[in-house]
Amino acid sequence: MPAANKPFKIQYPTSNIQAVAVVILMIASLFNALPLLRTNYVAEVIWALAAWELVCLSYLGFVIHKMKSKPSSLSLQEDELWVEGVAYKASEIRDVIIMGRHKPSIGVKLIGKSFVPMNLCFNFTEGEQEGISAIRDWAERHQVKLRQSFFIKWI
């Protein structure tokens, strides 16, 4: 990665609320399944509940992993955006989307994609205002559309 501009520390946007919500969902699922255990479909209910709980546990593990992971870097070069050591040319980027006001999430949507890839969704861990200002300037210089909106992340 070239060192022309100061890199910013970024991290995948997660919150404790996501982890708590998954735990509440898992507990609610268990309580909702209790009356179904009195039916003739006990085995099917148990398998479906076990599958659902496994999905919830997997997501909870993912959220905790992302919360505990070390920050990576974002660097805005002359004609490229470097995220986690991978370069994206300005011509490959359709939008830069800012979602939220307090600790906003930034999403970079590539041309031909409907959703923001997970590796291009981040928030700044330090220097948030400076980082957002720098990304706004970079987008303006390269005629990349910048908007304040909601976006969906995808794998």
Side-chain angles (χ1 to χ4, degrees), residues 8-130:
F8 295 95
K9 288 187 177 182
I10 59 170
Q11 194 164 25
Y12 183 80
T14 58
S15 69
N16 294 338
I17 294 170
Q18 285 177 302
V20 171
V22 170
V23 170
I24 290 170
L25 182 65
M26 290 173 66
I27 293 169
S29 298
L30 287 172
F31 281 112
N32 283 333
L34 288 177
L36 296 175
L37 294 176
R38 295 187 190 115
T39 66
N40 293 335
Y41 304 104
V42 174
E44 291 86 351
V45 170
I46 289 174
W47 280 109
L49 184 61
W52 175 248
E53 296 293 322
L54 184 62
V55 168
C56 289
L57 278 174
S58 299
Y59 182 71
L60 183 62
F62 168 77
V63 169
I64 291 171
H65 169 73
K66 287 297 187 179
M67 288 171 67
K68 301 293 181 193
S69 65
K70 291 192 295 187
S72 54
S73 67
L74 164 79
S75 183
L76 303 166
Q77 302 301 322
E78 183 51 40
D79 192 33
E80 296 175 325
L81 177 81
W82 285 78
V83 179
E84 298 177 2
V86 179
Y88 298 92
K89 294 191 180 302
S91 59
E92 299 172 340
I93 299 172
R94 184 170 87 188
D95 307 316
V96 174
I97 308 164
I98 301 173
M99 180 171 68
R101 302 223 183 276
H102 174 69
K103 194 127 174 117
S105 296
I106 312 294
V108 178
K109 191 182 285 188
L110 301 175
I111 292 174
K113 301 289 181 184
S114 300
F115 303 112
V116 173
M118 285 178 56
N119 64 322
L120 293 177
C121 175
F122 55 88
N123 57 19
F124 294 97
T125 57
E126 351 179 299
E128 181 180 302
Q129 291 301 83
E130 182 184 341

